[in-house]
Amino acid sequence: MVEIDARIRALSPQQRRLLQERLAARQQSPAPATAPAPAPVRHGGQPMKWSLFFFSAGGDHTTQEHYAFLLDCARFADRNGFAAIWLPERHFDTFGGPYPAPAVLAGAVCAVTERVEVRAGSVVLPLHDPVRVAEEWAVVDNLSGGRTGVSFASGWHPNDFALAPDAYADRRNRTVEGIRQLRELWRGSTLQRRDGAGSLIEIGTLPRPVQREIPLWLTASSSVETWRTGAREGLHVLTALLEQNHTELGEKAAVYREELRAAGRDPDEYAVTAMLHTFVGFDQDGVRRTVHGPLIGYLRSHMELFAKLADSQDVAIDPAKVSAADRAALAELAFERYFTTNGLFGTPDTALARVRALAASGVTEIACLVDFGVPPKEVLANLVHLQQLRKAADAAGVLTLGGAGAHA
């Protein structure tokens, strides 16, 4: 459970009324049934890229079944022109429990695909020696024939740092330095390390990768400074609509592009990848019914999101102290936010407006998080509608603000 500042509290009667009023207002303002007119064509822009993203809050199936589901999704993405499969790193919690070793799962994805890129989203770099990360992902690069990429995160949950407790306080600086070391190793340079006898030795990594340069992302969300760091270091950015809205995302993407220019880099060569909870189906009401229970369960398992969401609505709470009724109201409020504005839900027609909004915000790739609790068979059966949305966006001339980004 996330630690809660002593200043915040459980819901008061006044806060409860405020929460219910805002929830009612959201429910009375459904998403538009049709997409607005296309945005003007931007010369120099490229079609939106699409990928599948995994994070997993569990569900009513075994871990073995979940891995089979992941591989089935990878096969679909490979056959249907998606750009990538993203695999996370999580530890010590059922929320994301199937994913302690993204490089291992990436190897499995390589074995069942031929074209789609296989990426980590994200490796928590302060938990690892960059030497080992370079070795593991060079294996993946060889297995995939040069189709790998990695996003790096500095980490946020103290429990994860049971693996490297001394790294927690300085995790952001360690991430940047670790990325620099990994790049040098990937290019064939050596690093100094102390061996078991106490002597300094020069080490390089094997196997040698297929790609001379590995595509790298920096995971960023609420902190604009992380976006600036990504630009200064020449990294793509992986973000999400968890702690920000479309306007805030657009502002940070604009800062990122300006920082790239200031560093002498072409912004059109860099990707802004946005992860969104996604389910596209045959009809809007059916999609709502399908995702309502699973998405609420997913959000409840990620309780710190409740505190952040409530705080953004001027309702400061301690999730550990709220009543069952309050918790249910918070869950509904969170659901409405994700369903109407912060996720990618609906039909190929109704979800097209969200794609346009993301493109206008500076996003160049939509990473569709598909494993938030909808039964795997239902997700797989409806991926065809996501494919229809992808084709509809291309047919409508939806272009990103810049170039194609990674692996154009």
Side-chain angles (χ1 to χ4, degrees):
M1 178 63 68
V2 65
E3 292 185 10
I4 305 296
D5 190 280
R7 293 171 294 177
I8 65 177
R9 56 202 181 278
L11 289 173
S12 68
Q14 293 83 4
Q15 289 171 326
R16 186 174 295 111
R17 284 195 297 271
L18 178 62
L19 178 61
Q20 294 290 2
E21 288 169 2
R22 292 185 176 176
L23 175 58
R26 285 178 178 266
Q27 291 173 329
Q28 291 168 8
S29 302
T34 58
V41 173
R42 302 180 184 89
H43 298 290
Q46 295 289 330
M48 182 71 72
K49 290 187 175 183
W50 298 75
S51 53
L52 299 184
F53 198 102
F54 294 83
F55 201 70
S56 182
D60 296 329
H61 54 278
T62 66
T63 300
Q64 187 175 6
E65 291 169 336
H66 190 84
Y67 292 152
F69 163 59
L70 186 158
L71 295 179
D72 284 341
C73 288
R75 293 184 184 99
F76 179 92
D78 198 55
R79 292 193 304 266
N80 288 281
F82 283 70
I85 297 292
W86 290 90
L87 303 165
E89 178 186 354
R90 293 303 307 273
H91 299 284
F92 316 132
D93 198 301
T94 55
F95 190 91
Y99 298 111
V104 175
L105 289 176
V109 171
C110 293
V112 300
T113 59
E114 297 179 352
R115 186 203 58 80
V116 72
E117 295 176 23
V118 187
R119 302 176 186 160
S122 306
V123 169
V124 184
L125 191 51
L127 301 182
H128 309 283
D129 189 323
V131 172
R132 289 291 294 130
V133 177
E135 288 178 334
E136 290 176 355
W137 287 93
V139 172
V140 176
D141 203 46
N142 278 274
L143 289 172
S144 66
R147 293 184 282 131
T148 195
V150 179
S151 186
F152 290 112
S154 60
W156 59 276
H157 203 302
N159 288 1
D160 292 350
F161 284 80
L163 297 173
D166 294 339
Y168 183 71
D170 195 34
R171 60 193 183 277
R172 292 177 180 84
N173 290 333
R174 287 173 182 254
T175 298
V176 173
E177 180 57 31
I179 290 171
R180 293 170 181 169
Q181 291 181 17
L182 179 135
R183 276 178 158 163
E184 290 302 311
L185 291 166
W186 196 271
R187 293 165 182 162
S189 298
T190 61
L191 295 178
Q192 279 196 337
R193 286 289 190 271
R194 196 169 297 279
D195 67 12
S199 302
L200 283 176
I201 60 171
E202 295 283 336
I203 59 171
T205 56
L206 295 169
R208 299 304 309 137
V210 174
Q211 300 176 96
R212 168 65 179 170
E213 297 284 346
I214 180 172
L216 297 178
W217 281 251
L218 187 63
T219 302
S221 184
S222 59
S223 172
V224 70
E225 187 56 35
T226 307
W227 291 74
R228 290 193 176 100
T229 298
R232 288 193 293 265
E233 296 295 323
L235 304 166
H236 308 297
V237 168
L238 172 63
T239 190
L241 290 176
L242 297 175
E243 301 176 27
Q244 59 187 340
N245 56 36
H246 285 278
T247 300
E248 293 165 337
L249 188 156
E251 292 169 350
K252 292 165 189 169
V255 169
Y256 173 66
R257 292 174 65 85
E258 286 303 315
E259 288 283 346
L260 286 167
R261 292 188 187 96
R265 298 187 172 94
D266 182 357
D268 289 352
E269 295 181 359
Y270 291 85
V272 174
T273 302
M275 182 276 286
L276 283 84
H277 297 71
T278 300
F279 188 89
V280 180
F282 180 75
D283 72 278
Q284 189 79 11
D285 291 340
V287 169
R288 175 181 279 270
R289 288 192 299 271
T290 297
V291 304
H292 181 267
L295 186 55
I296 283 183
Y298 179 97
L299 293 167
R300 283 188 172 186
S301 67
H302 205 355
M303 280 301 297
E304 59 269 24
L305 291 180
F306 279 152
K308 292 170 183 172
L309 174 63
D311 185 61
S312 73
Q313 300 294 316
D314 300 320
V315 182
I317 65 164
D318 179 346
K321 297 179 181 178
V322 297
S323 68
D326 292 336
R327 193 176 293 262
L330 282 168
E332 290 294 341
L333 179 64
F335 172 81
E336 290 298 326
R337 177 187 181 185
Y338 278 88
F339 190 83
T340 60
T341 62
N342 282 41
L344 189 62
F345 297 109
T347 70
D349 289 335
T350 63
L352 187 56
R354 184 75 57 242
V355 179
R356 288 195 176 108
L358 289 163
S361 296
V363 172
T364 64
E365 177 186 339
I366 299 174
C368 302
L369 192 157
V370 295
D371 68 336
F372 58 88
V374 176
K377 288 184 179 180
E378 199 152 5
V379 173
L380 290 165
N382 283 277
L383 286 178
V384 62
H385 300 298
L386 178 60
Q387 172 71 345
Q388 290 169 0
L389 172 61
R390 188 176 75 86
K391 291 182 176 179
D394 288 348
V398 177
L399 300 179
T400 63
L401 288 177
H407 282 198

